Amino acid sequence: MRKHITRYFSLIAALLLTLGCKEEMPLLEGTGISETNWEASIIADHEGELLSLTFTSAAAWEALSADPSWCEIITPSGVAGDAALRIKVGNNVSIEPRETSISIQVEGYPLPEVFTISQEAGVTEQGEGRYR
């Protein structure tokens, strides 16, 4: 019986030692994004438009919009290398300007690449009519 217990504990110790020695991949520095064709803030047409942004990614990536109701990511992910991010910006029919952020997270990198997209007010009211 004692022999089985000793063998059992030896097996557990060896397993824990093996798992404990497994080296984790460290996160790389920066965002993993380079050669972008955009500024930190993009002003989109108030009538809406399709934006096509290019960049180089060091690894697989995913993009998210903070407000997809009017700023929709058409290409939400990609692989390492040259990439194109397409964003559909909707028509702003509000009398208020609006702004949202887009973030691109590259696998293995701690920081996302973040930029903003904004639109001027779509319609303003003057007198009895509605004008731009």
Side-chain angles (χ1 to χ4, degrees):
M1 179 74 160
R2 183 180 276 180
K3 192 175 192 179
H4 291 293
I5 292 174
T6 304
R7 193 178 301 169
Y8 177 73
F9 281 116
S10 297
L11 181 60
I12 289 176
L15 181 61
L16 290 175
L17 184 61
T18 303
L19 292 175
C21 292
K22 185 177 179 182
E23 189 173 322
E24 291 185 26
M25 281 188 56
L27 289 176
L28 302 169
E29 291 185 23
T31 64
I33 301 279
S34 62
E35 301 178 37
T36 63
N37 74 336
W38 66 81
E39 300 295 324
S41 183
I42 298 170
I43 299 173
D45 189 289
H46 75 279
E47 293 180 349
E49 64 181 297
L50 183 63
L51 300 173
S52 184
L53 309 175
T54 59
F55 61 97
T56 300
S57 177
W61 57 272
E62 287 187 8
L64 294 171
S65 170
D67 193 346
S69 67
W70 67 272
C71 193
E72 177 186 2
I73 305 291
I74 303 298
T75 51
S77 62
V79 296
D82 293 338
L85 175 62
R86 296 179 60 220
I87 302 170
K88 182 180 178 183
V89 180
N91 183 11
N92 188 1
V93 296
S94 169
I95 61 173
E96 299 293 326
R98 58 187 178 183
E99 181 177 283
T100 192
S101 64
I102 304 295
S103 62
I104 306 170
Q105 183 68 57
V106 177
E107 187 176 287
Y109 288 81
L111 302 173
E113 179 77 22
V114 180
F115 58 92
T116 61
I117 296 178
S118 59
Q119 283 183 306
E120 296 296 323
V123 178
T124 58
E125 294 184 30
Q126 296 179 354
E128 295 182 18
R130 292 162 48 123
Y131 303 94
R132 164 85 182 107

